[in-house]
Amino acid sequence: MRHDGRALDQLRPFSLEPGFIGSALGSVLVATGRTRVICTASREAKPPGWLTQGGWVTAEYAMLPGAVRPRGRREPDGRAKEIQRLIGRSLRAAIDLEKLVGPQGPVALTVDCDVIEADGGTRTAAITGGMVALALAVRALQREGVLTADPVRALVAAVSVGVCPLPAADAEVPMLDLAYVEDSQAVVDCNVVMLERGGLVEIQGTGERGGFDRPTLSRMLDLAESGIASLFAGQHAALAKVAEQAGS
């Protein structure tokens, strides 16, 4: 058992609260353990000037100063920029950009991911929640006639895995969904992004104290795949809840 009593292959308590920001085109509060991220999707006034074909999806990521202790800084740093590029790549993998075009032309969407409390896995939570906010925004644009086709190819979700010390067993073992106390001691740290219809979008894996072998990577990917399957179920439940509320 881990520090919080979870099994090695067990996610932290996970929830999605859609419609968290009423003024946003699409929004959700995603929580995984003590990590909480507000994700909102908004339409830009015009697409990027360099865009020549299809629509566009991008992301921004920030952490509120009080999300960590001691207080963080408001200014975006290199880490935040790297994370928001990852989120943007992940969300675009779920979208057919050629279909992100309506009668009025190309549509550009920005997904903002703002961390209000951080306890590990903020980037993976942002991807999982950002996908729900993006899907809700697409639905809204379809209702408004801005889009005539559904550009969502498949849901995308992400989770962290790693090899961490397990004091009770006096060993270092692969485990799913790392909280900060585990992530900070990880021997191997890995973030995995997957599409629901199959296929890896991105793997960010680092040996913090040297290398790691292929069997270890395979074990971590197996853990990630099982955890992400549960995240997909949560995404579907959140989207279905909104659809039911809209129909009632």
Side-chain angles (χ1 to χ4, degrees):
M1 303 293 282
R2 297 154 72 174
H3 77 287
D4 54 4
R6 283 185 293 147
L8 299 177
D9 61 352
Q10 186 177 359
L11 292 170
R12 288 176 287 177
F14 171 75
S15 65
L16 290 162
E17 185 178 342
F20 189 74
I21 303 293
S23 57
L25 200 58
S27 71
V28 68
L29 171 66
V30 56
T32 175
R34 289 175 52 201
T35 291
R36 294 184 295 159
V37 186
I38 298 172
C39 303
T40 57
S42 306
R43 183 187 179 190
E44 297 293 342
K46 59 182 180 179
W50 48 260
L51 192 68
T52 60
Q53 188 172 352
W56 189 245
V57 174
T58 191
E60 293 192 8
Y61 168 96
M63 189 177 293
L64 297 186
V68 293
R69 187 181 298 178
R71 178 186 181 274
R73 299 180 62 85
R74 285 191 185 277
E75 295 82 1
D77 55 15
R79 175 181 178 275
K81 291 179 180 178
E82 181 269 325
I83 291 174
Q84 68 187 32
R85 285 195 291 268
L86 168 66
I87 298 168
R89 289 193 301 270
S90 301
L91 296 178
R92 284 192 294 275
I95 298 293
D96 184 345
L97 297 176
E98 296 296 324
K99 292 183 178 179
L100 202 59
V101 177
Q104 302 169 7
V107 173
L109 297 170
T110 297
V111 178
D112 289 287
C113 303
D114 294 290
V115 180
I116 60 175
E117 188 168 10
D119 185 31
T122 61
R123 72 186 68 192
T124 53
I127 292 168
T128 304
M131 180 68 242
V132 174
L134 180 58
L136 291 173
V138 164
R139 286 183 182 179
L141 292 175
Q142 286 182 284
R143 289 194 302 271
E144 296 171 5
V146 175
L147 292 174
T148 55
D150 184 358
V152 178
R153 287 189 176 121
L155 296 179
V156 68
V159 75
S160 64
V161 287
V163 177
C164 304
L166 191 65
D170 191 25
E172 296 170 340
V173 296
M175 55 183 68
L176 176 68
D177 193 13
L178 308 184
Y180 177 76
V181 67
E182 296 165 332
D183 184 48
S184 62
Q185 301 175 21
V187 178
V188 181
D189 182 20
C190 189
N191 298 299
V192 180
V193 187
M194 297 185 71
L195 289 169
E196 185 179 23
R197 293 179 183 172
L200 293 159
V201 175
E202 189 149 347
I203 303 172
Q204 295 184 329
T206 304
E208 302 287 355
R209 304 175 197 170
F212 56 97
D213 57 24
R214 186 168 295 187
T216 299
L217 176 60
S218 295
R219 175 57 181 149
M220 289 193 295
L221 291 178
D222 288 342
L223 286 171
E225 187 172 11
S226 67
I228 288 175
S230 296
L231 299 180
F232 286 139
Q235 289 176 322
H236 278 294
L239 293 171
K241 177 181 179 181
V242 175
E244 290 173 3
Q245 291 173 342
S248 61

